[in-house]
């Protein structure tokens, strides 16, 4: 059992912490000036051993932070038990497997919004909570008693998935023994070896299952940069790495590095292999949204906005403009900065309403989702089946996953004149999402279209075997309409 700390103990620890935080007696400039004047200040003088802090005080400090860690882990264990219990409650409320899948998705989304984490992180938290309170209960007990961290437990829970029942207990006991003497980072590869040793015969099937989760994602970064992340087969990643290295060596042998480092060359080679043909020209014309002032296009310095990335400098914007095969004229209010209108004169373009909504929303409008709006579903806020009209002030961009969740998961959304979408979850939680580019919509008096034939959405749209995937399908593989 942990030693109970009194208020006096906590105050003492705070005082010790303050002792370690001292204002420097000299500024950085003064220190540098002194070092220049005294390049070897201690030359020839005996080195005096200075004790940073008395031994007892350092021991108290270490005991104090260990105690705080114990408190934190205790709270984490309580959270895990609570999440697992609530997840089971959600599942019991569902009358059939389809509704259970929907309830799981709703629960995951509400946990993500409440804790301020991504849906993927929330899903991992929920699944690990279920595992640690059932098959890996010994691991959770070790965390609760301070024998290991929650990081160790998460690694054990992930590595032990889908083990044969007769091997699960042996795996957990050996994994706990390993966790007691190494960090979570070192534990992960050790458990991969342990799993292969205990259950080598199903390695091929497990690899096939893991391949189903292969994916590529992008994320914006600072200063006009972006990140590209891929989860691929191990042999493919090794082959790609070797290909990049071989290309870099070839460039260096030909003297074409132009002062670029190996890392910079690898990045340039990757871009060339994906986007350029043998002549070095771009061999694809992706559809992207670049919003730039007219003055920037002819040499001005005002920055532009690249959808899915964020602000980019004027020079980069002009390079992209040179690659463009056509333009959309966007009228922006000089006083509010809001998009007022977008024309329909460009060649090979979608309808003007779709472009306007895509430009306004920027990303999926569901709380917490950051998928770029280009190519997403446009969903009627007032359902088309209920005589809802098709216009920008009744449409929002939603990725297929959240489009499905809105209709089947009991979420309510309201779109106001400023482009704000107010969401209310099934449990009553309220979140508001903001448009990337607010617009001033003209007065619209659309004529409602006759409602289409109403089809049971659970029968026509939902695929319970594809809860985690982004695309539900109708029978025959046709995606649902934008409604």
């Amino acid at each position: 059992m942990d030693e109970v700390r009194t208020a006096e103990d906590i105050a003492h620890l705070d005082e010790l912490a303050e002792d370690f935080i001292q204002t420097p007696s000299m500024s950085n400039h003064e220190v540098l000036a002194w070092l220049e004047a005294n390049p070897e200040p201690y030359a020839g003088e005996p080195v005096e051993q200075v004790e940073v802090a008395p031994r007892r005080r350092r021991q108290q400090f270490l005991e104090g932070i260990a105690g705080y860690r114990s408190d934190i882990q205790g709270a984490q264990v309580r959270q895990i038990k609570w999440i697992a219990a609530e997840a089971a409650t959600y599942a019991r409320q569902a009358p059939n497997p389809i509704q259970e899948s929907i309830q799981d998705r709703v629960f995951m989304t509400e946990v993500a919004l409440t804790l301020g984490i991504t849906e993927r992180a929330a899903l991992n938290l929920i699944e690990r909570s279920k595992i640690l309170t059932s098959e890996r209960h010994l691991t959770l007990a070790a965390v609760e008693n301070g024998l290991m961290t929650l990081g160790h437990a998460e690694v054990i829970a992930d590595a032990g998935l889908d083990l044969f029942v007769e091997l699960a207990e042996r795996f957990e006991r050996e994994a706990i023994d390993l966790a007691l003497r190494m960090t979570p980072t070192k534990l992960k590869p050790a458990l991969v070896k342990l799993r292969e040793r205990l259950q080598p015969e199903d390695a091929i099937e497990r690899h096939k299952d893991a391949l189903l989760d292969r994916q590529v994602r992008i994320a914006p970064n600072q200063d006009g940069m972006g990140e590209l992340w891929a989860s691929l087969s191990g042999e493919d990643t090794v082959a790609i790495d070797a290909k990049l290295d071989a290309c870099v060596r070839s460039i260096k042998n030909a003297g074409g590095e132009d002062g670029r480092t190996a890392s910079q060359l690898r990045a340039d080679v990757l871009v060339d292999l994906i986007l350029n043909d043998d002549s070095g020209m771009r061999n694809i014309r992706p559809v992207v949204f670049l919003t730039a002032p007219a003055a920037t296009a002819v040499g001005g310095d005002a920055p532009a906005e690249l959808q899915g990335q964020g602000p980019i400098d004027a020079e980069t914007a002009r390079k992209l403009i040179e690659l463009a095969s056509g333009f959309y004229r966007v009228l922006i209010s000089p006083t509010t900065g809001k998009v007022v209108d977008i024309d329909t004169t460009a060649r090979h373009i979608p309808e003007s309403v779709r472009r306007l909504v895509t430009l306004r929303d920027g990303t999926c409008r569901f709380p917490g989702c950051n998928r770029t709006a280009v190519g997403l579903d446009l969903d009627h806020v007032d359902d088309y089946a209920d005589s809802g009209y098709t216009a920008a002030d009744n449409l929002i961009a939603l990725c297929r996953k959240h489009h499905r969740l809105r209709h089947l998961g009991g979420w309510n959304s309201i779109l106001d004149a400023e482009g704000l979408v107010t969401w209310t979850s099934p449990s009553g939680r309220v979140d508001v999402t903001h448009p990337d580019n607010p617009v001033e919509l003209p007065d619209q008096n659309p004529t409602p279209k006759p409602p289409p034939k109403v089809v049971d959405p659970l029968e026509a749209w939902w695929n319970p075997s594809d809860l985690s995937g982004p695309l539900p399908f109708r029978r025959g593989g046709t995606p649902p309409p934008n409604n």
Side-chain angles (χ1 to χ4, degrees), residues 271-412:
V271 172
D272 288 340
L273 290 175
I274 295 176
L275 297 182
N276 298 341
D277 58 23
D278 293 337
S279 65
M281 299 298 292
R282 291 287 163 98
N283 54 19
I284 60 172
R285 295 287 181 179
V287 177
V288 297
F289 276 75
L290 172 68
T291 306
T296 298
V298 295
D301 295 328
E305 181 89 9
L306 182 63
Q307 193 165 60
Q309 164 62 35
I312 60 173
D313 63 272
E315 182 178 354
T316 302
R318 283 190 288 273
K319 290 179 180 178
L320 292 176
I321 291 172
E322 290 175 1
L323 296 173
S325 58
F327 303 92
Y328 306 143
R329 178 182 59 82
V330 179
L331 181 61
I332 299 178
S333 169
T335 56
T336 66
K338 294 180 179 180
V339 177
V340 176
D341 193 16
I342 185 168
D343 73 6
T344 59
T345 60
R347 182 182 177 186
H348 302 304
I349 60 173
E351 66 273 22
S352 59
V353 171
R354 174 176 290 277
R355 292 202 307 271
L356 183 59
V357 174
T358 300
L359 181 63
R360 179 198 68 194
D361 290 352
T363 63
C364 171
R365 295 303 302 274
F366 195 84
C369 187
N370 199 39
R371 287 194 62 179
T372 179
V374 176
L376 297 190
D377 295 344
L378 296 189
D379 189 26
H380 291 75
V381 178
D382 293 330
D383 286 345
Y384 188 79
D386 297 330
S387 299
Y389 57 89
T390 300
D393 60 351
N394 190 43
L395 292 168
I396 54 175
L398 290 177
C399 67
R400 187 62 53 81
K401 177 179 68 175
H402 290 127
H403 188 175
R404 175 175 61 180
L405 184 64
R406 175 179 180 262
H407 286 278
L408 302 180
W411 288 76
N412 180 59

Side-chain angles (χ1 to χ4, degrees), residues 46-371:
V47 178
E48 180 181 357
Q49 297 294 331
V50 179
E51 187 177 19
V52 176
R55 181 183 299 272
R56 178 53 187 157
R57 188 170 81 168
R58 179 58 56 83
Q59 289 175 346
Q60 290 177 327
F61 163 73
L62 296 175
E63 290 170 359
I65 61 173
Y68 282 129
R69 188 195 72 171
S70 178
D71 292 343
I72 293 171
Q73 289 191 178
Q76 289 172 330
V77 169
R78 290 191 295 274
Q79 183 189 60
I80 285 172
K81 292 179 177 179
W82 201 358
I83 288 174
E86 191 66 15
T89 301
Y90 262 74
R92 284 195 297 269
Q93 294 173 350
N96 55 60
I98 292 179
Q99 286 292 340
E100 183 175 350
S101 297
I102 296 172
Q103 291 292 343
D104 285 343
R105 175 67 69 182
V106 170
F107 180 63
M108 175 199 69
T109 306
E110 291 193 301
V111 169
L113 293 174
T114 300
L115 297 182
I117 58 179
T118 65
E119 291 183 10
R120 180 176 295 274
L123 178 62
N124 290 338
L125 174 61
I126 294 168
E127 293 303 315
R128 286 167 177 164
S129 298
K130 293 177 181 178
I131 294 170
L132 291 172
T133 53
S134 54
E135 302 108 272
R136 302 290 174 264
H137 64 278
L138 294 179
T139 302
L140 187 62
V143 176
E144 194 168 16
N145 286 278
L147 300 178
M148 68 173 71
T149 68
L150 184 59
H152 290 93
E154 291 174 345
V155 172
I156 293 174
D158 293 345
L161 289 175
D162 303 323
L163 277 170
F164 294 142
V165 176
E166 56 271 22
L167 297 176
E169 183 176 346
R170 179 181 173 187
F171 171 84
E172 183 177 28
R173 292 187 181 278
E174 292 194 31
I176 291 175
D177 182 63
L178 290 170
L180 298 180
R181 43 195 172 89
M182 59 181 64
T183 65
T185 303
K186 288 189 175 182
L187 179 63
K188 187 173 183 178
L191 292 187
V192 172
K193 295 179 181 179
L194 172 62
R195 182 188 176 104
E196 296 299 327
R197 176 167 58 83
L198 294 178
Q199 191 171 302
E201 58 276 3
D202 71 329
I204 295 177
E205 290 301 318
R206 285 189 281 109
H207 178 61
K208 289 181 179 178
D209 291 341
L211 273 176
L212 298 176
D213 292 329
R214 62 190 182 277
Q215 58 182 295
V216 177
R217 297 202 302 266
I218 66 169
N221 211 334
Q222 294 180 345
D223 302 323
M225 301 295 287
E227 296 180 356
L228 177 69
W229 179 91
S231 177
L232 308 170
S233 171
E235 58 267 29
D236 287 341
T237 59
V238 171
I240 291 171
D241 184 67
K243 172 91 172 183
L244 294 177
D245 281 344
C247 291
V248 168
R249 285 195 298 270
S250 177
I251 293 173
K252 286 188 172 183
N253 291 337
E257 62 267 31
D258 297 326
R260 291 174 290 179
T261 66
S263 295
Q264 293 168 344
L265 284 170
R266 282 168 59 89
D268 294 344
V269 167
L270 178 63
V271 172
D272 288 340
L273 290 175
I274 295 176
L275 297 182
N276 298 341
D277 58 23
D278 293 337
S279 65
M281 299 298 292
R282 291 287 163 98
N283 54 19
I284 60 172
R285 295 287 181 179
V287 177
V288 297
F289 276 75
L290 172 68
T291 306
T296 298
V298 295
D301 295 328
E305 181 89 9
L306 182 63
Q307 193 165 60
Q309 164 62 35
I312 60 173
D313 63 272
E315 182 178 354
T316 302
R318 283 190 288 273
K319 290 179 180 178
L320 292 176
I321 291 172
E322 290 175 1
L323 296 173
S325 58
F327 303 92
Y328 306 143
R329 178 182 59 82
V330 179
L331 181 61
I332 299 178
S333 169
T335 56
T336 66
K338 294 180 179 180
V339 177
V340 176
D341 193 16
I342 185 168
D343 73 6
T344 59
T345 60
R347 182 182 177 186
H348 302 304
I349 60 173
E351 66 273 22
S352 59
V353 171
R354 174 176 290 277
R355 292 202 307 271
L356 183 59
V357 174
T358 300
L359 181 63
R360 179 198 68 194
D361 290 352
T363 63
C364 171
R365 295 303 302 274
F366 195 84
C369 187
N370 199 39
R371 287 194 62 179

